[in-house]
Amino acid sequence: MFHSDVYAKRRKRLKQDVGSGLILFLGHGQSPINYLDNPYPFRQDSSFLYFWGLDHPKLAAVIDTEENKEVVFGNNLTSEERVWAGPKTPLKEKCRRIGVKETLSLDQLEGIITKALHKNRKIHFLPQCRAENVLKVMRLLGIDPAAVQDRVSTILTKAVVAQRSVKSEAEIEEIEAALDITYEMQTLPMKMSKPGMFEREAVGAMIDIAYCVGSRLSFPIIFSTRGEIIHNPSHGGLMKTGDMVINDSGAESPLHYATDITRTFPVSEKFTKKQKDIYEIVLHAQEKAIETISPGIEFRKIHLLACQHLVSGLKALNLMKGDIELAIRAGAHALFFPTGLGHMMGLDVHDMENLGEDYVGYTDTIQRNHQFGLNNLRLAKTLETGFVLTVEPGLYFIPELIDQWKVENKFVDYINYQNVEAYKDFGGIRIEDDILVMESGARVLGKPIPKSIEEVEAFSSQ
Ligand code: GLY
Ligand code: MN
């Protein structure tokens, strides 16, 4: 946990930014897998963690902006519950550590909210990602579940996004602590993966690395020789000579800050010439994008710059043709790069995505472009010092999409379909790092993970 002042200052700023009414926070409960006593591992709501730091289930909290009160709602375990769960620090003591004096039992929340509603006071709440919390909001505020999303407080959502977007030094330390674990989760599979092994064997070893140091995954591991399937959840594949593997994985720090790193490596010791050619293009695009990052620059421009490098490389291989600018403007490059260049990162791997991607990555003036490819850009807005984001260009050869576009004669001025045919079994390559926007320029967080062809091959041959 951070020092109590950290949480108190965050809440004070939030109170000022929101200005009136009550701010309601709902923590997460335990989510059952198949029956109530068999839950998924508990993960607290990230905004609850950010403002209240309390990392256990069945909590709520209220800030009364006008009466200047902060209350945490929760119950201490009964003696019977302690038989199963063991002794726990009393809620009052936990709250002292986050600078909150007042605690009430969970069943008192409804009375406080009802009283405020009777006085026509505004109750601000954030978008909820868990169904049980949607139902809780509905019951507390007396609104229809389908209307909960419409009643979310925009002023609160924007205020939370503004605070959580800019990371403090202590938050960066957390991310770097998780990157130490991620380094091992990336380098061990490079070393251990051999033809004849199943993907799941490497995935098991990566999970071991995280759990053995008390960490856990920041998202389900993507580890696949089918790199063209961008978020492939399957680990059942057999790794064969000549295959490449995409390893997109990350860990959580003790306070639940995320990492998100991707490396692509050969299952055998060396990349083939064809693989090297594509790898160099992706690596160059990533390096150029990172070099360009600085406060005051729109991330959409950096995304488009990366696209230029990707298209220029594909042109050199005769997979694309024509004017680079026009090809990108038309959206032809999205056949090979349908994703965005990156996203914000923090307590969530796609930071604050449940608060609304457009609040996090866009503004009133920088609006999402719905063209295929650009529509998947999660972050477009102007960068600020203290933002942490990923830079993850890739080149993907998706047979179904290639066939579909070819039949449709789509972008024939820019795509050499005849040459692309020979890449339909290529897979995909992605390279991703976690970047801190500095006062000038940017820093790749964590200790360097093998990335150049020489470095990756050196690890793959161990
Ligand atoms: N690491 C998965 C993603 O960025 O979507
Ligand atoms: Mn990512």
Side-chain angles (χ1 to χ4, degrees):
M1 199 177 265
F2 295 125
H3 189 275
S4 64
D5 283 353
V6 171
Y7 300 104
K9 277 189 190 143
R10 289 173 178 175
R11 293 191 301 267
K12 184 172 176 208
R13 180 172 154 200
L14 190 68
K15 202 160 26 188
Q16 285 161 354
D17 288 349
V18 173
S20 68
L22 266 62
I23 307 173
L24 168 67
F25 285 90
L26 294 177
H28 280 169
Q30 294 273 20
S31 279
I33 299 174
N34 48 348
Y35 56 93
L36 283 179
D37 279 344
N38 188 23
Y40 289 103
F42 174 71
R43 175 54 158 82
Q44 184 58 287
D45 172 78
S46 295
S47 290
F48 199 91
L49 271 181
Y50 186 85
F51 290 99
W52 306 91
L54 301 172
D55 192 9
H56 60 99
K58 291 193 185 162
L59 294 171
V62 166
I63 301 176
D64 188 324
T65 61
E66 285 139 58
E67 290 185 13
N68 205 21
K69 273 169 77 165
E70 298 172 336
V71 188
V72 170
F73 298 83
N75 300 336
N76 290 314
L77 295 188
T78 62
S79 61
E80 194 180 325
E81 284 167 333
R82 287 200 297 275
V83 168
W84 298 93
K88 296 276 181 265
T89 311
L91 183 61
K92 204 88 201 147
E93 167 59 18
K94 285 187 186 157
C95 286
R96 197 187 55 73
R97 296 180 198 163
I98 55 157
V100 172
K101 293 194 193 75
E102 195 172 349
T103 60
L104 290 172
S105 65
L106 212 44
D107 58 10
Q108 287 173 286
L109 176 62
E110 193 168 344
I112 302 275
I113 298 294
T114 307
K115 202 166 132 195
L117 288 172
H118 281 150
K119 290 185 182 166
N120 273 331
R121 298 187 65 199
K122 170 89 179 157
I123 313 287
H124 299 272
F125 63 91
L126 292 170
Q128 304 296 320
C129 71
R130 298 256 177 118
E132 55 267 34
N133 278 357
V134 171
L135 292 174
K136 229 174 260 175
V137 169
M138 174 205 89
R139 193 171 45 77
L140 284 169
L141 276 76
I143 43 185
D144 186 85
V148 168
Q149 197 55 34
D150 300 335
R151 294 279 293 273
V152 159
S153 168
T154 308
I155 187 169
L156 173 63
T157 305
K158 286 186 172 175
V160 170
V161 169
Q163 273 205 62
R164 283 183 55 188
S165 293
V166 178
K167 273 65 181 181
S168 66
E169 273 179 36
E171 290 178 288
I172 302 300
E173 278 171 25
E174 283 287 312
I175 294 173
E176 294 210 285
L179 278 165
D180 285 342
I181 304 163
T182 314
Y183 176 92
E184 305 297 332
M185 289 168 61
Q186 286 288 338
T187 50
L188 180 73
M190 280 182 197
K191 292 187 249 180
M192 74 182 280
S193 297
K194 300 278 175 276
M197 256 179 71
F198 284 99
E199 292 159 355
R200 58 177 176 261
E201 297 176 60
V203 171
M206 291 162 71
I207 294 171
D208 241 30
I209 290 171
Y211 277 70
C212 284
V213 294
S215 171
R216 61 165 133 186
L217 307 179
S218 47
F219 60 95
I221 291 173
I222 299 162
F223 187 96
S224 176
T225 56
R226 299 285 309 277
E228 81 282 6
I229 305 174
I230 292 161
H231 280 175
N232 190 353
S234 147
H235 305 135
L238 185 68
M239 297 188 266
K240 301 183 296 300
T241 304
D243 282 346
M244 287 181 297
V245 175
I246 276 192
N247 176 5
D248 183 346
S249 54
E252 279 198 354
S253 73
L255 297 185
H256 301 290
Y257 283 80
T259 64
D260 186 7
I261 298 286
T262 307
R263 290 293 183 269
T264 307
F265 65 87
V267 168
S268 339
E269 297 183 359
K270 304 265 180 223
F271 287 105
T272 64
K273 163 83 172 67
K274 196 170 172 183
Q275 291 167 344
K276 269 187 192 169
D277 287 344
I278 300 290
Y279 193 98
E280 288 291 10
I281 298 171
V282 178
L283 181 59
H284 182 68
Q286 201 228 19
E287 287 170 345
K288 288 290 165 195
I290 294 172
E291 269 172 30
T292 315
I293 290 178
S294 186
I297 299 186
E298 278 177 33
F299 195 65
R300 177 153 55 201
K301 292 205 172 128
I302 302 176
H303 169 86
L304 291 170
L305 176 92
C307 293
Q308 279 181 10
H309 288 292
L310 294 175
V311 173
S312 154
L314 291 171
K315 262 189 81 173
L317 292 179
N318 273 322
L319 296 173
M320 290 192 74
K321 58 187 173 179
D323 184 272
I324 295 176
E325 286 290 334
L326 293 181
I328 293 170
R329 211 174 299 156
H333 65 290
L335 177 62
F336 310 102
F337 182 44
T339 73
L341 183 65
H343 51 83
M344 298 282 265
M345 213 189 66
L347 279 164
D348 309 306
V349 68
H350 290 179
D351 210 20
M352 302 172 277
E353 198 162 290
N354 73 306
L355 301 184
E357 211 173 82
D358 285 354
Y359 288 122
V360 180
Y362 291 81
T363 65
D364 293 342
T365 49
I366 302 174
Q367 301 264 315
R368 191 181 292 267
N369 183 320
H370 293 284
Q371 182 186 71
F372 177 65
L374 268 177
N375 61 343
N376 292 322
L377 181 59
R378 299 179 197 277
L379 173 63
K381 72 185 180 189
T382 305
L383 299 178
E384 292 176 33
T385 306
F387 280 12
V388 172
L389 48 103
T390 67
V391 174
E392 49 179 308
L395 285 173
Y396 308 95
F397 294 85
I398 306 166
E400 191 186 333
L401 195 62
I402 294 168
D403 289 343
Q404 186 188 324
W405 283 28
K406 191 177 169 184
V407 167
E408 291 169 4
N409 278 329
K410 217 164 160 175
F411 303 127
V412 284
D413 292 342
Y414 305 117
I415 297 167
N416 277 324
Y417 285 104
Q418 212 179 337
N419 296 342
V420 172
E421 278 297 315
Y423 283 77
K424 273 166 57 182
D425 62 353
F426 182 89
I429 290 177
R430 171 161 71 251
I431 304 173
E432 175 177 29
D433 282 300
D434 302 338
I435 312 293
L436 169 66
V437 183
M438 312 272 284
E439 267 174 39
S440 73
R443 176 161 81 80
V444 179
L445 292 172
K447 84 175 167 194
I449 298 171
K451 189 158 74 168
S452 70
I453 287 186
E454 297 71 32
E455 288 164 349
V456 171
E457 286 186 344
F459 271 75
S460 296
S461 2
Q462 281 179 40

